[in-house]
Amino acid sequence: MPNPRPKLDESISSPQDLEAVIAQVREYARWFAHNSIKKRLKVRHIQPEPDMSPAARALIRWADAKQPLSSVSLDALLATLDDYKNTAPQLSITLAAPVSGNLRKLLITWCREHIAPNALVHFTFNSAILGGMVLRSGSHVFDWSFRRAILENREKFPEVLRNA
């Protein structure tokens, strides 16, 4: 049976978000290893856990649920996250305005359900597209913007305006 992989939280949507979570888990792994040694040596002063985002905490809970938390299980989690970083499909979505929270969540969920469960989505905005969206994946560009539609039908546009 293949080793199950953690599901990325919606707050981990872009490559930068994933890098930040990896850094937090890596810091936690260092803290865990350091404090494990202190516990074995019965040192009284244990450092408090480092601050982490809810997404990083969820990933550590996922690793702990699979097997008792250890330096080995944390290293395995970090290896999985590094694999995500190196292999996840990366998409760039350009909208006419900054993406709202609900639309962001909807687009990330759709990409993860229909493209790949670990898809990373970077959002930008460009008011020149007027509406719709432009999606980039690698060298592929899918332009569903209003600007493109208007330019493709520029000879029909004056007629539409006259009949309006």
Side-chain angles (χ1 to χ4, degrees):
M1 183 170 129
N3 194 8
R5 294 164 58 111
K7 181 181 177 204
L8 293 180
D9 184 87
E10 287 135 4
S11 66
I12 308 170
S13 63
S14 70
Q16 296 82 3
D17 296 337
L18 182 56
E19 283 286 345
V21 167
I22 289 171
Q24 291 174 12
V25 172
R26 197 166 274 127
E27 181 183 345
Y28 180 87
R30 281 192 297 273
W31 170 86
F32 185 88
H34 185 73
N35 282 318
S36 294
I37 293 168
K38 284 183 166 186
K39 283 180 184 177
R40 276 195 306 252
L41 297 173
K42 300 187 189 312
V43 174
R44 291 180 191 250
H45 180 65
I46 303 288
Q47 293 292 328
E49 280 189 19
D51 287 334
M52 290 185 295
S53 66
R57 287 202 182 281
L59 288 167
I60 290 169
R61 278 193 306 275
W62 175 86
D64 189 31
K66 278 184 52 190
Q67 63 186 30
L69 209 53
S70 67
S71 291
V72 172
S73 65
L74 288 169
D75 287 345
L77 174 59
L78 284 166
T80 299
L81 294 174
D82 280 334
D83 184 52
Y84 276 176
K85 180 179 73 172
N86 295 326
T87 62
Q90 294 189 23
L91 309 167
S92 175
I93 297 177
T94 302
L95 301 167
V99 66
S100 68
N102 289 337
L103 179 60
R104 176 186 180 93
K105 182 178 177 181
L106 179 71
L107 289 170
I108 292 167
T109 301
W110 187 93
C111 289
R112 291 192 175 157
E113 287 175 358
H114 294 91
I115 297 172
N118 62 339
L120 299 174
V121 184
H122 174 73
F123 292 95
T124 60
F125 74 94
N126 178 352
S127 60
I129 70 170
L130 304 176
M133 70 181 205
V134 178
L135 181 123
R136 288 180 179 79
S137 176
S139 62
H140 301 286
V141 176
F142 304 94
D143 188 345
W144 297 294
S145 68
F146 292 162
R147 182 176 191 269
R148 182 204 41 86
I150 290 170
L151 290 176
E152 282 182 355
N153 296 297
R154 72 179 81 194
E155 61 280 342
K156 294 179 185 175
F157 196 64
E159 181 182 333
V160 169
L161 290 176
R162 279 193 297 273
N163 295 332

